[in-house]
Amino acid sequence: MRTLKRLGLATVVATFCMASAATADNADWSRPTKPFRVVGNIYYVGTKGLSAYLITSGRKAILLDGTLKSTAALVEDNIAALGFKLSDVKIIVTSHAHYDHVAGVAQIKRDSGAKLHAIAADRWALENGLHGGETSYKRGTFPPVKVDHVLADGDAVTLGDVSMKATLTAGHTPGCTTWSTSAIEDGRALKVVFPCSVTVAGNKLFGNRRYPGIVGDFEVSFDRLAAMKADVVLPAHPEFADVLGRAARRDAGDKDAFVDPGLLGRIVEQSRAAFKKELARQKARQ
């Protein structure tokens, strides 16, 4: 539990569960940060507060998420700073269709020529620039982007020797997708999971006409995530796993800073508890 106490994970999860996307963007969402290698062939190319990950196979790459419309250029610059051309990005995948993670995808897709792969349940939102479901805030909009390849739950996206599996963990959005792959670090094979958010974050849990199955989807997703094994956890909001802090500790000499096999379980545990609390709160207001 040492890492959980250091991160204040319960506080982080609770804050995100109650946060409304109607509020102003967190300043860190737009704050540049230098790109860095995480483990193996996986690189962080996002901002200080919004993750974007580059997963490479030789000179080709898959990009996971594009951050905000206003920070798409920062992601592109970070990719270039690692020595890659933007045209090396052949595939873009997404965690979920919320503006803070996909608003930059249209620009990066256009500039790179990459193809967008996304799970079917988020296709409408991506192609219409409006995330699904009813929320306690005005639904965020973003530049629409065409999905070139529609995925089903369990499908894999492959580029060279890289394979990323898509697992549907719906609730936060109907198509919230957890990605998993493997990476080699110091001769060790590590299981890497990019969990989609399982926070409520303003979603309407009762009477949600656009997403009537939201509660059941959340409950299934908690179980699916809890059953997954992860040596390295890389979420869409870096603070959930202290990604930048771990990078600093690794650079200071802790070679296993990113390896934390219990972290995904702790995130699920705290998120489930926060979900139950919010479910009871909304039920009491019916």
Side-chain angles (χ1 to χ4, degrees):
M1 298 300 288
R2 174 174 58 89
T3 304
L4 177 58
K5 292 178 181 178
R6 181 170 62 240
L7 294 179
L9 185 56
T11 300
V12 172
V13 170
T15 298
F16 270 83
C17 281
M18 296 303 295
S20 167
T23 61
D25 292 348
N26 184 315
D28 283 346
W29 289 5
S30 300
R31 188 164 291 142
T33 191
K34 290 182 179 180
F36 56 87
R37 189 180 68 85
V38 181
V39 292
N41 59 328
I42 300 172
Y43 299 83
Y44 187 91
V45 293
T47 65
K48 187 175 181 181
L50 292 174
S51 301
Y53 299 99
L54 195 72
I55 302 93
T56 65
S57 175
R59 298 302 308 174
K60 298 179 180 180
I62 298 171
L63 177 67
L64 170 54
D65 282 346
T67 72
L68 300 166
K69 179 181 178 181
S70 61
T71 56
L74 294 178
V75 175
E76 294 181 344
D77 289 346
N78 280 344
I79 292 170
L82 291 171
F84 292 92
K85 296 181 295 185
L86 199 55
S87 59
D88 292 332
V89 178
K90 303 301 182 184
I91 296 172
I92 299 173
V93 296
T94 58
S95 59
H96 60 286
H98 277 168
Y99 80 100
D100 47 334
H101 305 289
V102 301
V105 168
Q107 176 182 323
I108 298 171
K109 182 177 187 282
R110 181 180 65 248
D111 293 347
S112 66
K115 300 298 184 181
L116 176 61
H117 298 234
I119 212 155
D122 263 356
R123 180 182 185 177
W124 184 93
L126 288 165
E127 294 190 337
N128 288 274
L130 179 66
H131 76 253
E134 294 184 56
T135 59
S136 61
Y137 53 86
K138 183 179 179 180
R139 291 190 294 164
T141 61
F142 48 86
V145 58
K146 182 181 184 299
V147 176
D148 300 292
H149 297 280
V150 179
L151 305 173
D153 178 31
D155 281 354
V157 172
T158 302
L159 181 70
D161 59 357
V162 170
S163 180
M164 297 182 66
K165 181 181 177 181
T167 299
L168 180 62
T169 49
H172 192 73
T173 71
C176 214
T177 306
T178 291
W179 293 93
S180 55
T181 189
S182 61
I184 304 298
E185 182 74 7
D186 291 333
R188 286 188 299 169
L190 299 173
K191 296 177 181 178
V192 182
V193 173
F194 305 86
C196 195
S197 178
V198 278
T199 62
V200 176
N203 274 300
K204 189 175 180 181
L205 300 178
F206 293 92
N208 194 323
R209 291 166 296 178
R210 294 191 185 95
Y211 190 3
I214 186 170
V215 171
D217 280 358
F218 264 116
E219 291 171 341
V220 169
S221 295
F222 289 129
D223 290 341
R224 299 193 87 180
L225 280 169
M228 296 180 76
K229 303 297 182 184
D231 299 305
V232 178
V233 178
L234 300 175
H237 285 280
E239 60 267 37
F240 268 89
D242 193 26
V243 174
L244 303 186
R246 289 176 188 271
R249 294 196 293 278
R250 188 269 311 281
D251 293 345
D254 181 1
K255 67 178 183 178
D256 288 331
F258 282 105
V259 179
D260 190 346
L263 179 57
L264 182 58
R266 296 196 298 272
I267 290 173
V268 174
E269 177 186 350
Q270 295 296 332
S271 297
R272 196 196 298 263
F275 169 79
K276 289 180 177 179
K277 183 176 181 179
E278 176 61 11
L279 186 67
R281 187 189 74 83
Q282 290 193 27
K283 184 176 183 179
R285 294 190 172 189
Q286 293 299 297

